[in-house]
């Protein structure tokens, strides 16, 4: 039973570790390899820890029966050549782990390289060759690869040689095992090359050369002993090419349905009845937002703890009454968790970490109405804060309004001025304004940023001993130059911290334009820490 | 039957003697499918075929000791390389010591430095010379010229096979120029054979290269209907004079011929060649068919062919649509509505606004928070149903960058219709 439970766990680690280790195939082997220093043998290209029967294989992947059987059929009986396969399907549908487990079941030698860790052609080529030549990076060889190869042409030659020696060795082994009856774990004389995460190749520098090359690799090599399997998150039609390339045989992994997800989550649960009643309540809303196993797992595992809170003993079988009680208990949390658990990885990390606390408490409501004041969780000089705010203002407000906003009174009395226009033009303006907001931050030249910076910093009050240079507004020449150098330094550090990004240069003026990358709540937070009345200066408010 | 299969099949059968004839048959047919030289060997007989034309061109330049060049053009998967290899195989048998073949591929050697190096390497290998990796471009070029001269003196023809010829024609074409120029200036004997899937490959050449290139072209086309049928029999029927049990071979072949005669099978072949009638496509189809063969009976059935057709012909966009969650579909519909409104700005914020208006007008059951939608939005980006309009603006966060939809309206409609338990389509 314990063995049957593990594949589920394995699967998750395989997937996540495929982004961290060069080849997840060797995850299990790494420890073994490091401990024994003797040279690798052909057997190391097979996952040989334990054998796994077809029944177990199918059971360990719920709702992957069709795909597993199809893949096994396509791989065929021993020593049958194979045209390249293209395994594709959405993220977290078990492509990699299924393929690897199938090879574990078949006990055939394979080479696995992922294009995430092998992030350029050279590393990909060398990783394949290293595995094929049974070479291991260690201290003695200075962690170098077996062969140095950068160009596809060298790679093809080296791969051809390596494959032929390897296949010779396989045949030799077969011969030996036949005569001596020594337990050889390798079966067959095919070697399979698995290239994972192929979609990443499209972002490589020379992807226009490398992709057709990889797709044509089988035809170029002309070695029927090599099987080629591509694994990709996107379908074949997303790989564009000028003159086309040899297409491969597609195998599709569909996303899991609700029932499949339930089956997956029900695996290895200590209290299946309780968990099933929990899933009854929880799974549907999450399933409507995403169908990815990893996302849903992350979302519901803390929820289950909440679900079990009112229970003294988590081992009980819930009756209708407890179920109702638990449902009442959990219901308010569901919608809250729905909002909170999906963090967006693409946003700048600093911003995310800064606003995380808030989203935890309130979710994203209308920005700008934070009542609970949170401190910034990182330190920044006052000068930099002012600079950040002025950058935000410059990005946010149209340049034509600067004069009226930052007049000598500090923009306190300019609100009434705008109320004269008719209803219709107001509406028009409103929609335009909204569009501007949706379009995101605009760009601005350095001069404008500095002007706004001077205006707002001259309005604010300073306590003595502040770290900003004293700004009087009417400053002398000596002060002016000091400010400029300091501010420019601050600006460049803000740029490198990704608070302000450098946009393209304006074709007419030629100067570099900047853009603020901070969100509104972040800017408001910074403003609050300075006690600066930012909302007053915002055009739309 | 080509030499390759003849030499490899006894080995296979010997090793697999203890396995069932069905598995043996599967392996045999699969190795046939994976060997293009075997597939195209049936096209080598008729006198007006590309095979005989090509053979005539090469052998005449061999016997007359002159230079020549020819282009083999045609879509991918029509057997340009395979036919050439068959011709070369034959010629190597006929004139054993008169030919040395140098093979280059545009995907690998389009850089002129790299190409010359590879030529030197193959020449060295062929003539048992020591190849230096450190040799410069100039060294390699001189080596090639002197080798051409030496071979010419020894009445030996060097055949340069340039696969993906159009890729050599990129950039300055320095390699093509130096190769063709070397052929002209000395008493050399060489044949340059370019293979390309671009029919205008000769138009890509510079003037100085074009003037040194003879404009012989051979056009390769996908097989006709009759040829396809011949191919099917050629590939699938088991040989009668082999190690298989006789009864099995007869049963297998009789069943297969019966299927071939069936009009349903003809329909399948028609649908197959309707989308793509090249041999490569057929090859994939047959591979899938043979993989689906029932190993117990050991016979192919019509169902196998049907199953293979469905695995070959896929509609990836619809599949992906079926995989989307309901929220992701919402976002797609919002995108489509924005497009229908011809609104200029289409980024995440605009989608959210549209989503809110849909929610307000149709009173949908759930309204998801902004960051949940952003997550779904990113999933869609990953699935490549939508994509950013430009690759610039990496500094900007995803919410502001304009996006475009990668599926058409009917596709989306069809996807929504086939979606199980799709809520009200506000489309």
């Amino acid at each position: 039973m314990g063995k049957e439970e593990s594949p589920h766990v394995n699967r998750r680690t395989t997937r996540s570790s495929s982004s961290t280790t060069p080849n997840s195939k060797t995850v299990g082997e790494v420890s073994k390899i490091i401990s024994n220093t003797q040279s690798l043998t052909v057997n190391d290209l097979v996952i040989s820890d334990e054998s796994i029967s077809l029944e177990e294989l199918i059971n360990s992947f719920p709702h992957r029966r069709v795909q597993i059987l199809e893949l096994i059929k396509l791989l065929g009986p021993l020593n049958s050549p194979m045209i390249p396969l293209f395994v594709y399907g959405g993220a977290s549908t078990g492509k990699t782990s299924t393929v690897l487990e199938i090879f574990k079941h078949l006990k055939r030698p394979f080479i696995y390289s992922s294009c995430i860790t092998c992030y350029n052609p050279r590393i990909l080529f060398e990783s394949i060759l290293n595995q094929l030549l049974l070479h291991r990076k260690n201290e003695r060889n200075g962690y170098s690869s077996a062969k140095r190869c950068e160009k596809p042409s060298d790679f093809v030659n080296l791969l051809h040689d390596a494959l032929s020696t390897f296949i010779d060795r396989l045949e030799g082994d077969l011969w030996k095992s036949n005569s001596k009856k020594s337990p050889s774990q390798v079966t067959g004389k095919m070697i399979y090359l698995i290239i994972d995460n192929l979609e990443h190749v499209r972002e490589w520098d020379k992807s226009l050369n490398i992709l057709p090359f990889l797709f044509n690799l089988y035809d170029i090599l002309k070695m029927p002993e090599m099987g080629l399997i591509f694994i990709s998150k996107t379908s074949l039609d997303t790989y564009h090419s000028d003159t086309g390339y040899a297409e491969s045989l597609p195998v599709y992994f569909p996303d899991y349905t609700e029932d499949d997800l339930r089956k997956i989550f029900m695996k290895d649960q200590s209290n299946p009845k309780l968990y099933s009643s929990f899933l009854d309540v929880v799974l549907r809303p999450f399933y409507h937002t995403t169908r990815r196993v990893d996302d849903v797992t992350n979302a519901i595992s803390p929820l289950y703890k909440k679900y079990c809170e009112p229970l003294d003993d988590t081992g009980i079988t819930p009756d209708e009454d407890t179920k109702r009680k638990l449902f009442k208990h959990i219901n308010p949390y569901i919608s809250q968790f729905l909002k909170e658990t999906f963090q967006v990885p693409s946003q700048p990390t600093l911003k995310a970490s800064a606003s995380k606390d808030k989203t935890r408490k309130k979710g994203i409501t209308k920005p700008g109405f934070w009542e609970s004041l949170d401190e910034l969780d990182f330190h920044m000089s006052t000068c930099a804060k002012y600079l950040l705010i002025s950058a935000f203002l410059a990005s946010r407000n149209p340049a034509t309004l600067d004069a009226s906003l930052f007049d000598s009174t500090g923009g306190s009395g300019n609100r009434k001025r705008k109320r004269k226009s008719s209803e219709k033009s107001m509406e028009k303006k409103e929609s335009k304004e909204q569009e501007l907001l949706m379009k995101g931050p605009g760009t601005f030249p350095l001069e404008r940023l500095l002007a706004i910076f001077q205006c707002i910093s001259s309005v604010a009050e300073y306590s003595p001993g502040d770290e900003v240079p004293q700004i009087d507004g009417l400053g002398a020449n000596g002060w002016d130059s000091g400010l400029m150098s300091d501010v420019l330094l601050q600006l460049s550090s803000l740029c490198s911290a990704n608070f302000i990004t450098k946009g393209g240069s304006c074709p007419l003026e030629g100067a570099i334009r900047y853009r603020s990358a901070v969100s509104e709540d972040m800017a408001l937070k910074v403003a609050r820490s300075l006690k600066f009345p930012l909302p007053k200066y915002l055009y739309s408010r | 039957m080509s030499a390759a299969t003849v030499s490899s099949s006894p080995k296979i059968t010997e090793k697999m003697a203890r396995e069932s004839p069905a598995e043996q048959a599967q392996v045999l047919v699969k190795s046939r499918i994976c060997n293009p030289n075997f597939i195209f060997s049936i096209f080598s007989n008729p006198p007006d075929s590309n095979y005989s034309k090509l053979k005539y061109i090469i052998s005449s330049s061999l016997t007359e000791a002159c230079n020549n060049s020819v282009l083999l053009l045609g879509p991918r998967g029509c057997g340009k390389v395979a036919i050439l290899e068959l011709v070369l195989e034959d010629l190597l048998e006929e004139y054993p010591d008169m030919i040395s073949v140098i093979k280059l591929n545009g995907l690998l050697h389009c850089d002129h430095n790299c190409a010359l190096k590879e030529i030197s390497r193959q020449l060295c290998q062929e003539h048992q010379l020591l190849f230096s990796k450190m040799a410069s471009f100039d060294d390699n070029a001189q080596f090639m010229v002197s080798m051409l001269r030496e071979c010419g003196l020894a009445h030996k023809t060097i055949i340069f096979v340039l696969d993906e010829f159009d890729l050599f024609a990129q950039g300055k074409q320095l390699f093509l120029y130096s190769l063709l120029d070397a052929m002209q200036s000395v008493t050399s004997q060489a044949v340059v054979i370019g293979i390309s899937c671009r029919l205008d490959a000769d138009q890509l050449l510079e003037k100085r290269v074009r003037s040194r290139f003879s404009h012989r072209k051979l056009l390769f086309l996908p097989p006709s209907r009759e040829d396809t049928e011949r191919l099917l029999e050629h590939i699938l029927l088991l040989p009668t004079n082999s190690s298989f049990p006789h009864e099995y071979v007869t049963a297998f072949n009789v069943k297969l011929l019966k299927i071939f005669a069936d009009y349903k099978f003809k329909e399948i072949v028609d649908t197959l060649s309707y989308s793509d009638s090249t041999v490569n496509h057929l090859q994939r189809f047959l591979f899938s068919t043979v993989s689906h063969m029932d190993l117990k009976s050991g016979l192919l059935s019509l169902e196998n062919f049907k199953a293979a057709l469905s695995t070959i012909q896929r509609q990836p966009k619809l599949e992906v649509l079926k995989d989307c969650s309901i929220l992701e579909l919402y976002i797609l519909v919002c995108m489509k509505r924005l497009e229908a409104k011809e609104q200029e700005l289409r980024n995440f914020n605009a989608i959210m606004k549209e989503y809110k208006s849909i929610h307000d007008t149709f009173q949908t059951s759930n309204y998801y928070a902004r960051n949940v939608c952003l997550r779904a939005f990113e999933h869609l980006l990953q699935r490549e149903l939508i994509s950013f309009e430009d690759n610039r603006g990496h500094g900007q966060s995803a919410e502001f960058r304009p996006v475009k939809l990668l599926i058409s309206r009917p596709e989306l409609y069809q996807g929504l219709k086939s979606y199980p338990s799709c809520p009200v389509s506000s489309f």
Side-chain angles (χ1 to χ4, degrees), chain A residues 88 202 252 289 295 339, chain B residues 319 322-323 325 371 375 384:
Chain A
Y88 70 103
R202 289 176 305 177
Y252 180 58
T289 62
D295 274 359
K339 280 180 200 158
Chain B
E319 282 169 350
K322 246 178 229 167
D323 279 351
S325 70
N371 54 346
R375 184 78 175 157
E384 311 226 344

Side-chain angles (χ1 to χ4, degrees), chain A residues 253-269:
Chain A
F253 277 65
D255 269 34
Y256 294 109
T257 62
E258 195 178 343
D259 292 341
D260 307 331
L261 282 181
R262 171 181 278 273
K263 258 183 224 157
I264 291 170
F265 288 124
M266 285 305 289
K267 269 176 96 72
D268 55 86
Q269 283 304 327

Side-chain angles (χ1 to χ4, degrees), chain B residues 214-316:
Chain B
S214 80
H215 289 269
R216 261 179 265 272
K217 278 184 271 184
L218 285 181
L219 190 61
F220 285 72
L221 290 175
S224 63
R225 188 61 212 267
E226 293 75 43
D227 284 342
T228 310
E229 276 166 17
R230 274 175 57 213
L231 263 179
L232 282 171
E233 291 183 10
H234 175 66
I235 294 172
L236 290 182
L237 288 184
L238 290 180
T240 41
N241 52 349
S242 61
S243 60
F244 293 110
H246 185 68
E247 309 84 62
Y248 174 67
V249 173
T250 356
F252 188 88
N253 289 351
V254 165
K255 178 86 191 283
L256 209 56
L257 288 174
K258 216 168 95 191
I259 293 175
F260 286 163
D262 194 344
Y263 77 96
K264 276 184 199 153
F265 175 75
K266 285 186 176 141
E267 272 174 14
I268 291 176
V269 176
D270 278 342
T271 21
L272 188 75
S273 49
Y274 184 67
S275 62
D276 185 356
S277 59
T278 59
V279 178
N280 264 359
H281 195 62
L282 188 72
Q283 185 190 356
R284 287 200 296 280
F285 168 69
L286 290 182
F287 187 85
S288 177
T289 309
V290 174
S291 302
H292 282 99
M293 185 171 91
D294 181 21
L295 283 178
K296 273 200 197 100
S297 67
L299 303 175
L300 283 169
S301 65
L302 195 62
E303 276 65 46
N304 297 149
F305 288 97
K306 274 183 194 157
L309 188 69
S310 65
T311 55
I312 285 282
Q313 297 197 321
R314 295 200 159 271
Q315 289 177 304

Side-chain angles (χ1 to χ4, degrees), chain B residues 68-82:
Chain B
N68 211 341
S69 49
V70 62
L71 278 181
L72 314 183
L73 305 177
R76 264 173 211 283
C78 291
K80 300 181 288 291
V81 181

Side-chain angles (χ1 to χ4, degrees), chain A residues 70 73-74 76-83 88 91 151-153 156-157 202 212-213 216 218 220 222 234-235 237-238 243-245 247-250 252 254-255 285 287-292 295 338-339 342-347 434-435 437-441 501 515, chain B residues 16 19 23 26-27 30-31 34 76 81 85 105 107-109 111 114 118 121 164 166 197-198 283-284 287 291-292 311-312 314 316-317 319-320 322-328 345 347 349-350 353 368-369 371-372 374-375 378-379 382-384 395-396 398-400 419:
Chain A
E70 170 150 19
K73 272 181 186 165
L74 288 173
L78 269 184
N79 300 336
S80 67
M82 182 184 83
I83 61 177
Y88 70 103
K151 287 180 185 157
S153 53
V156 166
N157 291 334
R202 289 176 305 177
F213 162 67
N216 277 325
Y218 186 77
I220 291 173
K222 293 202 173 75
T234 57
S235 54
D237 63 334
T238 56
T243 48
Y245 33 71
E247 276 186 36
S248 32
L249 203 64
Y252 180 58
D255 269 34
Y287 174 71
H288 277 201
T289 62
T290 177
R291 291 172 66 174
R292 282 175 54 167
D295 274 359
L338 256 179
K339 280 180 200 158
F342 297 108
Q343 279 161 24
V344 182
S346 85
Q347 287 186 335
Q434 278 215 331
E435 195 152 303
L437 244 180
M438 289 197 298
K439 216 175 219 162
T501 53
R515 188 199 298 272
Chain B
M16 315 239 314
E19 287 175 17
E23 280 193 7
Q26 203 178 15
V27 172
K30 276 191 175 181
S31 54
C34 292
R76 264 173 211 283
V81 181
E85 286 199 345
N105 191 315
L107 284 171
L108 309 176
H109 313 109
D111 164 34
C114 193
E118 180 67 18
R121 195 188 69 85
E164 313 277 346
D166 49 312
C197 56
R198 279 186 69 164
Q283 185 190 356
R284 287 200 296 280
F287 187 85
S291 302
H292 282 99
T311 55
I312 285 282
R314 295 200 159 271
K317 289 291 180 215
E319 282 169 350
V320 177
K322 246 178 229 167
D323 279 351
C324 284
S325 70
I326 288 175
L327 179 60
E328 285 160 11
L345 178 70
N347 61 12
N349 286 333
K353 198 179 154 202
Y368 295 104
N371 54 346
V372 179
L374 191 53
R375 184 78 175 157
E378 297 202 327
H379 283 181
Q382 260 181 25
R383 294 180 195 274
E384 311 226 344
Q396 235 178 345
E399 318 152 59
F400 300 124
Y419 194 87

